[in-house]
Amino acid sequence: MRPFAFSRATDVADAVQQGSLAGCSFVAGATNLADLMKYDVTRPARLIDINPLTLRGIEELQSGGLRLGALATNAQTAYHARVQKQYPILASAILSGASAQLRNVATNGGNLNQRTRCYYFYNSALPCNKREPASGCSAVGGVTRVHGILGTSSACIATHPSDMCVALAVLNASVRVTGNFGDRVIPIAEYHRLPGDTPWLDNTLQHGELVTAIDLPNESFATNYTYLKLRDRQSYAFALVSIAVVMHMEDGVIREARVALGGVAHKPWRRTEAEQTLKGQQPSTQLFETFAEELVAGAVGYGDNDFKIELARRGIVRACHQAAEGTPQSQSDKDIA
Amino acid sequence: MPETESPELIPIDITVNGVLHSLEIESRLTLLDFLREKLQVCGTKKGCDHGQCGACTVLLNGTRINSCLAFVVLHPGASVTTIEGLAEPGKLHPLQQAFYDLDAYQCGYCTPGQICSATGLINEGHARTRAEVRELMSGNLCRCGAYPNITSAILQVLAEGEAQ
């Protein structure tokens, strides 16, 4: 690994000031960053340790929502009593991802900002527009099993690897950030972005901006939810396709439904207009198939990942049934009868 | 990677298996390399060096982590326990005894990581059933495929309530 300079931030203001310099990166858990640096994919001149910052709390908001500190670990978040009670889909999604060791260290802010696991992004010997702007995309025409089918561009077909963020998408979370130009609140739908012709930008953060928290609105999805993650082995693998669903049900009718997909796009994939199809309807396979078609409309395979289109359709139907019936996918007992 | 200048050294205090070490290290030093190369505490194994296999699992302030992805400079004042520090002298840790009794290893390379990870799992208190143990141990690979016996050994210790 290349050497790098190192300093600790004393508080948020100090972190923002230090982070505004060129070549600086913030570091918290480092579970993704250390790996990227070992592969020479990321080459920070200086790491700024933000662990001394008081951003570890998980606190109830006056609105009744919940604020997840950027430095709270994924494990602390998933096992937090309020998260498990009010937003169990978030706990489920987090626990479906990575391993216990990684979740003990990886932070909520780091999870948001983790990089794609595209093989070509990780291989510094090959062209990659995300790693090296304008160098080309090796994935198009390459091995594409883990790549995107929705919202891709000719410059990049990488996917965002997070499970947590797929759950945040259906929870209408917002990301609180701070920087030299003040504080901002970014709706989760606008935090990550599609690659377009600037795939090196994963999200809408400006250089030097620091994520301080993730806010969850005051809602509860205690029963009608699921996080269904489909992958090459039953645990400790990234999603080929994952489906997050939350519903408000009333007398057997879907009052509101929100569905997001992971593993298929450069950001959690959600279409609020398609969700209107489910509104006011009684759950049925036919209804969910119609909705699935709308959610994956325009999907394009790149060869090895063609299967993801049909896998997504079927997964959406299964996940919608799980949510409507209040039988969420278990993250420990995953055998399918 | 050739270096053009000497990397900056950063002072740090860190306790390993009860012994305090005060020294100066490079920022890029991982906890795994610190244990194996600087302290010659080599029970912790380097498998993939990328957080994919769990062979390097140690307890950091009682919590299981992958030492290969931990920069030492991020953990000033931490207390690390490796496989060498789990048991009292002259006596096996309950998990070591259970792994021995139930034949929960073949080549043994993943075993220190498996046992440290299982210690963390028991301390965390989220696993009760075989399915839960399997799921929450999925960060530790065993290429010999000793998984059924590893799971049985952990379940036996869980049943005996002998977590440390």
Side-chain angles (χ1 to χ4, degrees):
Chain A
M1 187 187 299
R2 292 168 195 257
F4 56 89
F6 176 82
S7 51
R8 290 194 181 93
T10 52
D11 55 29
V12 169
D14 181 40
V16 166
Q17 194 192 354
Q18 291 195 51
S20 62
L21 300 172
C24 289
S25 289
F26 297 124
V27 62
T31 53
N32 187 208
L33 185 59
D35 197 31
L36 290 163
M37 291 168 69
K38 287 183 182 194
Y39 281 113
D40 205 24
V41 172
T42 304
R43 302 167 184 178
R46 173 180 295 272
L47 290 188
I48 299 157
D49 180 7
I50 58 168
N51 287 294
L53 276 47
T54 52
L55 300 173
R56 266 174 220 289
I58 296 179
E59 300 155 9
E60 188 168 345
L61 295 167
Q62 279 192 342
S63 64
L66 202 60
R67 176 161 295 167
L68 312 171
L71 290 176
T73 66
N74 280 182
Q76 284 165 345
T77 306
Y79 293 116
H80 192 274
R82 273 289 298 276
V83 172
Q84 297 216 326
K85 185 174 174 212
Q86 198 170 341
Y87 314 99
I89 190 171
L90 180 59
S92 183
I94 291 172
L95 294 176
S96 79
S99 66
Q101 290 96 314
L102 289 166
R103 293 190 298 263
N104 280 340
V105 178
T107 62
N108 292 332
N111 191 313
L112 282 175
N113 294 330
Q114 65 177 307
R115 310 300 308 273
T116 184
R117 288 345 190 257
C118 170
Y119 325 120
Y120 303 100
F121 174 69
Y122 259 81
N123 187 337
S124 57
L126 294 173
C128 168
N129 287 321
K130 185 180 278 297
R131 179 167 27 78
E132 189 70 46
S135 62
C137 175
S138 303
V140 175
V143 176
T144 58
R145 183 168 179 80
V146 302
H147 291 84
I149 53 172
L150 287 159
T152 55
S153 75
S154 58
C156 182
I157 61 171
T159 58
H160 194 264
S162 171
D163 294 296
M164 180 186 90
C165 294
V166 186
L168 293 178
V170 295
L171 291 172
N172 289 342
S174 50
V175 182
R176 298 178 68 83
V177 308
T178 187
N180 275 330
F181 301 105
D183 299 341
R184 291 199 293 153
V185 178
I186 309 172
I188 188 73
E190 294 165 26
Y191 186 82
H192 298 103
R193 59 185 294 284
L194 294 178
D197 55 6
T198 52
W200 50 93
L201 300 173
D202 292 351
N203 55 50
T204 53
L205 275 186
Q206 303 296 309
H207 179 73
E209 275 188 320
L210 177 72
V211 174
T212 56
I214 300 166
D215 282 359
L216 303 175
N218 181 20
E219 294 180 288
S220 182
F221 294 98
T223 308
N224 297 110
Y225 74 93
T226 197
Y227 188 71
L228 176 61
K229 182 174 178 181
L230 305 166
R231 45 189 154 171
D232 279 329
R233 57 186 184 194
Q234 283 190 328
S235 184
Y236 202 19
F238 289 96
L240 292 167
V241 174
S242 70
I243 307 100
V245 185
V246 292
M247 290 180 180
H248 285 305
M249 301 285 295
E250 212 171 76
D251 301 326
V253 171
I254 301 167
R255 190 155 59 78
E256 185 188 5
R258 303 180 205 153
V259 184
L261 305 178
V264 297
H266 203 254
K267 61 185 286 188
W269 188 259
R270 199 178 150 197
R271 277 188 175 140
T272 50
E273 65 278 13
E275 291 164 8
Q276 300 306 310
T277 298
L278 300 171
K279 204 169 183 173
Q281 303 295 314
Q282 290 191 334
S284 73
T285 298
Q286 192 184 10
L287 174 71
F288 295 148
E289 285 174 346
T290 302
F291 167 70
E293 208 56 58
E294 293 171 13
L295 187 53
V296 303
V300 177
Y302 289 85
D304 299 328
N305 70 348
D306 292 351
F307 72 94
K308 282 192 176 185
I309 302 172
E310 183 59 21
L311 186 65
R313 282 196 195 101
R314 295 185 192 188
I316 293 163
V317 173
R318 179 184 284 266
C320 284
H321 272 298
Q322 288 180 332
E325 290 155 23
T327 54
Q329 176 64 46
S330 166
Q331 297 306 349
S332 55
D333 184 0
K334 287 174 277 194
D335 291 334
I336 291 173
Chain B
M1 189 60 58
E3 288 157 34
T4 51
E5 55 186 294
S6 309
E8 177 188 11
L9 292 177
I10 297 149
I12 193 156
D13 289 346
I14 190 163
T15 300
V16 176
N17 298 329
V19 178
L20 176 66
H21 299 269
S22 298
L23 60 177
E24 294 193 322
I25 56 164
E26 284 188 47
S27 54
R28 61 182 168 174
L29 183 67
T30 65
L31 180 55
L32 176 60
D33 288 341
F34 172 69
L35 293 169
R36 293 183 56 86
E37 309 294 333
K38 302 284 182 196
L39 300 187
Q40 277 81 49
V41 177
C42 295
T44 307
K45 298 297 184 253
K46 181 178 278 195
C48 67
D49 207 25
H50 290 285
Q52 297 176 4
C53 76
C56 70
T57 304
V58 299
L59 298 163
L60 181 85
N61 300 324
T63 300
R64 54 178 164 160
I65 69 157
N66 294 318
S67 61
C68 74
L69 295 180
F71 289 124
V72 180
V73 286
L74 296 179
H75 304 285
S79 177
V80 178
T81 305
T82 70
I83 190 70
E84 290 93 337
L86 269 187
E88 300 292 322
K91 188 178 174 218
L92 292 180
H93 182 275
L95 277 162
Q96 291 173 316
Q97 188 66 53
F99 269 59
Y100 176 80
D101 290 343
L102 295 178
D103 214 7
Y105 50 84
Q106 289 176 42
C107 83
Y109 194 81
C110 73
T111 310
Q114 297 277 3
I115 289 177
C116 285
S117 185
T119 305
L121 170 136
I122 292 171
N123 290 343
E124 288 158 14
H126 301 302
R128 290 164 295 279
T129 65
R130 180 168 284 269
E132 288 166 346
V133 170
R134 281 165 52 84
E135 172 60 30
L136 292 172
M137 286 295 292
S138 71
N140 291 83
L141 303 191
C142 169
R143 291 298 75 186
C144 303
Y147 297 112
N149 294 8
I150 292 170
T151 312
S152 296
I154 296 167
L155 283 165
Q156 178 177 295
V157 176
L158 270 172
E160 292 165 357
E162 287 185 291
Q164 295 288 308

